[in-house]
Amino acid sequence: MTKMAAALLHRAEDLAASFRLRSAEIEQVRYLPDDIAAAMAQAGLYRAPLPPDCGGAGVDPATLLRLIETIAGGDAAAGWCLMIGATAAISAGRLPDRVVHQIFSDPLTVTAGVFAPMGRALPEDGQWRVRGCWGWGSGTRNAHWIFAGCLLMDGPPDAEGRPTPRRLPNGQPDVTMMILPAKDVVFHDTWQAMGLCGTGSGDFEVRDVAIPRDHAVSLFSSPVLRSGACFAFPVFALLGLGIAAVALGIAGGAVRDFATLAGAKTPQGSSRRLAERATVQAEFAQAEAMVLAARSHLHAMVEAAMADLGEAKPGSTVSLQRRVALRQAATHAAHASADAVKRLYTLAGGSAVFATSPLQRAFRDVHVTTQHMMTAPATWEVIGRAGLGLPVDDAQI
């Protein structure tokens, strides 16, 4: 690990400790307070994966995941927003220098966005005319630049003369991220959720806004223009791993919080502290082992992929087999974390049901991570098909 990466991890640990004290506040306001987002920006966390010439630290994927996990161990919503912002920033690897400078020249820039193609972009006078409404806009309330997934409506007209989406050679739409300043985006207060309440993952809307052609980037067809470990790494794999890192951070925090509770609590009708019960000791050890094993497996798969990439220059690729293994590690880590937190929540007894208990928040938060399309139960089917030698659609693996 480089000195810069170690310094970033140290800053993340300090921030996580302070965020932990504000988790109730973050959950209550339902989006990340601006000063918390600013603190992560000032620490260089959002742009950590960008190379120095883009104002970042050039950390590798393994270090980025540790940063996300560390912040999530303090507050899950902060960790989730960091994950969204950092993975959005990685699009810089496919953008021309002028656009990179425009977006990232300010060291406090925060990015966020949604890949799902809920918008339409029509060509107009050398620009794109964008409109649409996107859900799940995590972290967008704090962002200066918004990345919004769109269909490029410049394909051949249909039988009735209407524009159709641009398509890839495999026939799928070439989903493209349109990059807009936050001032051109309308935010809707729609985020009322069970968990990850403080992520501000509400809807946002773009109402007929023109953007320059070079403010569009496709994760499928736009080439990688810069060297860098995170730029060369499969982007959808990194997103899934980032979600898993949040889950691991939540689970690690739950292990810590349960240990504190068990050392202090004497259950009603008992003369022994919770920690002194043999059944509690065994269950706790198993829950902790689940988290440790999931983390180790995830990082082993990341290191193997990085070894395949070598110097991580533009054009470097990771095999489908390796990408499937990365998705398997991410999905497993998210679900193993949820299972571990559930065990700890149950072991805590009635103490865990109160709003003041960090374990009930961890229980709610971690179960949101298993619902994301990158780590949801349906991903096991794709992983299983690939493992059994059956054909799979690998576009988003």
Side-chain angles (χ1 to χ4, degrees):
M1 181 181 297
T2 65
K3 289 183 178 180
M4 185 174 291
L8 281 173
L9 281 168
H10 182 70
R11 291 176 212 161
E13 290 166 357
D14 288 344
L15 288 175
S18 65
F19 295 167
R20 189 177 304 138
L21 302 176
R22 299 180 62 184
S23 286
E25 172 199 349
I26 294 169
E27 185 164 70
Q28 185 176 22
V29 299
R30 295 183 292 111
Y31 62 88
L32 212 59
D34 288 338
D35 67 302
I36 288 180
M40 290 197 289
Q42 288 169 349
L45 300 186
Y46 284 110
R47 61 178 58 213
L50 303 186
D53 64 346
C54 295
V59 303
D60 60 20
T63 302
L64 177 61
L65 297 176
R66 291 188 180 96
L67 290 170
I68 294 169
E69 180 180 348
T70 299
I71 293 295
D75 181 79
W80 186 270
C81 290
L82 172 60
M83 178 270 295
I84 292 293
T87 51
I90 291 171
S91 297
R94 302 169 187 263
L95 293 170
D97 290 343
R98 186 189 74 81
V99 180
V100 171
H101 178 76
Q102 183 180 6
I103 295 173
F104 295 103
S105 59
D106 183 346
L108 299 185
T109 290
V110 177
T111 56
V114 175
F115 172 74
M118 303 306 294
R120 300 291 183 270
L122 290 159
E124 180 184 284
D125 298 329
Q127 301 183 98
W128 292 109
R129 177 70 60 177
V130 179
R131 62 175 66 93
C133 188
W134 292 259
W136 306 95
S138 303
T140 52
R141 290 284 295 268
N142 308 112
H144 304 95
W145 291 88
I146 308 297
F147 292 59
C150 286
L151 298 179
L152 302 181
M153 305 303 291
D154 63 350
D158 63 15
E160 298 181 11
R162 295 173 300 191
T164 63
R166 180 189 298 182
R167 296 190 179 275
L168 299 164
N170 65 4
Q172 295 299 311
D174 188 9
V175 179
T176 299
M177 304 284 276
M178 296 291 162
I179 307 171
L180 305 95
K183 66 179 179 61
D184 291 337
V185 177
V186 179
F187 299 99
H188 300 292
D189 186 9
T190 57
W191 186 240
Q192 302 281 349
M194 174 197 78
L196 292 178
C197 301
T199 58
S201 303
D203 297 354
F204 64 89
E205 185 178 2
V206 176
R207 300 172 178 171
D208 206 36
V209 174
I211 70 167
R213 281 265 177 172
D214 58 6
H215 280 59
V217 58
S218 169
L219 301 181
F220 297 119
S221 63
S222 296
V224 176
L225 304 174
R226 292 175 175 78
S227 298
C230 286
F231 292 158
F233 209 80
V235 64
F236 292 108
L238 194 55
L239 176 58
L241 293 164
I243 294 164
V246 174
L248 288 167
I250 296 169
V255 168
R256 175 198 65 227
D257 293 331
F258 178 82
T260 300
L261 172 70
K265 177 180 177 177
T266 301
Q268 187 175 1
S270 174
S271 60
R272 293 183 299 165
R273 290 176 299 141
L274 197 60
E276 295 174 309
R277 293 185 172 186
T279 55
V280 170
Q281 295 160 4
E283 284 286 321
F284 174 77
Q286 291 178 63
E288 185 179 33
M290 291 169 69
V291 180
L292 295 173
R295 181 187 296 121
S296 294
H297 177 59
L298 182 144
H299 280 280
M301 293 301 98
V302 171
E303 294 298 337
M306 288 307 305
D308 289 351
L309 284 171
E311 296 182 5
K313 293 183 177 179
S316 301
T317 60
V318 174
S319 69
L320 173 60
Q321 181 181 12
R322 188 69 75 192
R323 285 183 283 137
V324 169
L326 290 168
R327 180 59 58 82
Q328 183 181 49
T331 300
H332 172 259
H335 288 266
S337 296
D339 290 344
V341 172
K342 181 181 178 181
R343 286 190 182 211
L344 297 171
Y345 171 83
T346 302
L347 284 177
S351 301
V353 307
F354 291 95
T356 53
S357 170
L359 289 171
Q360 57 81 26
R361 184 180 300 114
F363 180 88
R364 291 184 287 108
D365 289 341
V366 78
H367 280 90
V368 176
T369 70
T370 62
Q371 302 300 99
H372 194 283
M373 66 175 293
M374 291 294 167
T375 50
T379 60
W380 289 121
E381 297 176 22
V382 177
I383 295 163
R385 283 185 63 85
L388 293 169
L390 298 174
V392 296
D393 179 5
D394 67 339
Q396 295 188 36
I397 297 179

